[in-house]
Amino acid sequence: MEESEIIAGCIKNDPYTQRCLFDRHYKRTFHMAMRYLANYHDTEDVLSVSYTKIFKNIRQFENRGDGSFQKWINTVVINEAIRFLKSKRALLFQEDEELLTLNVSFTDNSDLLDTEEVSQVLESMPKGYRTVFNLFAIEGYSHKEIAEMLQINENTSKSQLSKARNYMILKLKKSSHALK
């Protein structure tokens, strides 16, 4: 079924096309929300609210070319994940003295990074670091956009990203040394 047909059907509240939309986008949105929340049950809760909002507000979607519908869905899911974190007061921006003074780099390219290992480190990150890292490095938002979304200072976004990178590098280096 074409995207335009799915959108038209969802506007009419047709259960079949709503199911088509859900089936087409669920796996990707689940992984996206999981990157922010790092908890299966919270992710399911956020997706439930997200898809309810998508179906309710689909009339407001403006087609701006290829990929705009997927980007709109992604934005709904990301915003809902952030709302969830804020409501749980889980989105704190931390100062970690060790990471503030640490400026490390990965120079050993002999070992390929294990995707599962990177995912585990990302899940273990403090939520503030993880949220800014996801928004910047994975979703492609600017620090200005992140600051507006999270209602923080642009410099806070930059420092959280720097700390997230250092956190990831430090943890990956520790785990690679533990394997040797």
Side-chain angles (χ1 to χ4, degrees):
M1 185 175 275
E2 292 293 318
E3 188 175 272
S4 59
E5 294 173 302
I6 291 174
I7 294 168
C10 288
I11 288 172
K12 295 175 185 172
N13 290 318
D14 175 53
Y16 176 75
T17 54
Q18 289 175 333
R19 184 62 192 201
C20 287
L21 183 148
F22 180 81
D23 290 344
R24 185 174 288 181
H25 295 277
Y26 176 78
K27 186 175 182 180
R28 181 183 35 75
T29 56
F30 177 85
H31 290 293
M32 179 189 313
M34 189 69 158
R35 282 195 312 264
Y36 290 89
L37 304 168
N39 176 296
Y40 177 84
H41 297 292
D42 292 345
T43 299
E44 286 292 327
D45 290 346
V46 162
L47 288 180
S48 177
V49 172
S50 296
Y51 278 98
T52 300
K53 286 184 177 186
I54 289 166
F55 296 136
K56 180 180 176 187
N57 298 310
I58 199 159
R59 281 178 165 69
Q60 297 172 357
F61 166 69
E62 284 182 33
N63 191 338
R64 296 183 179 157
D66 286 346
S68 64
F69 187 56
Q70 183 172 317
K71 183 165 175 56
W72 182 74
I73 290 172
N74 292 354
T75 301
V76 171
V77 172
I78 290 167
N79 286 338
E80 196 52 44
I82 291 169
R83 255 187 231 98
F84 180 86
L85 289 171
K86 285 180 177 179
S87 75
K88 299 291 184 191
R89 300 195 187 277
L91 194 56
L92 302 173
F93 298 96
Q94 302 180 358
E95 295 296 327
D96 187 329
E97 293 302 319
E98 179 184 358
L99 293 175
L100 284 173
T101 58
L102 187 65
N103 193 5
V104 293
S105 63
F106 243 144
T107 54
D108 183 10
N109 294 340
S110 62
D111 297 322
L112 292 175
L113 292 177
D114 178 22
T115 314
E116 181 64 31
E117 187 178 0
V118 172
S119 292
Q120 288 174 354
V121 171
L122 190 57
E123 287 176 12
S124 73
M125 257 185 212
K127 289 178 180 148
Y129 295 2
R130 182 173 60 234
T131 301
V132 172
F133 181 86
N134 280 320
L135 289 170
F136 184 87
I138 297 174
E139 309 301 339
Y141 287 98
S142 70
H143 286 294
K144 183 178 181 180
E145 292 168 319
I146 294 168
E148 289 171 7
M149 289 172 80
L150 301 178
Q151 300 170 337
I152 59 175
N153 184 295
E154 197 171 330
N155 288 330
T156 302
S157 175
K158 290 175 183 177
S159 72
Q160 291 294 298
L161 177 64
S162 176
K163 293 171 195 170
R165 286 177 174 161
N166 285 341
Y167 180 94
M168 184 166 282
I169 291 168
L170 182 68
K171 293 291 185 180
L172 290 172
K173 276 191 169 189
K174 281 183 181 178
S175 69
S176 71
H177 288 302
L179 295 174
K180 291 180 181 180

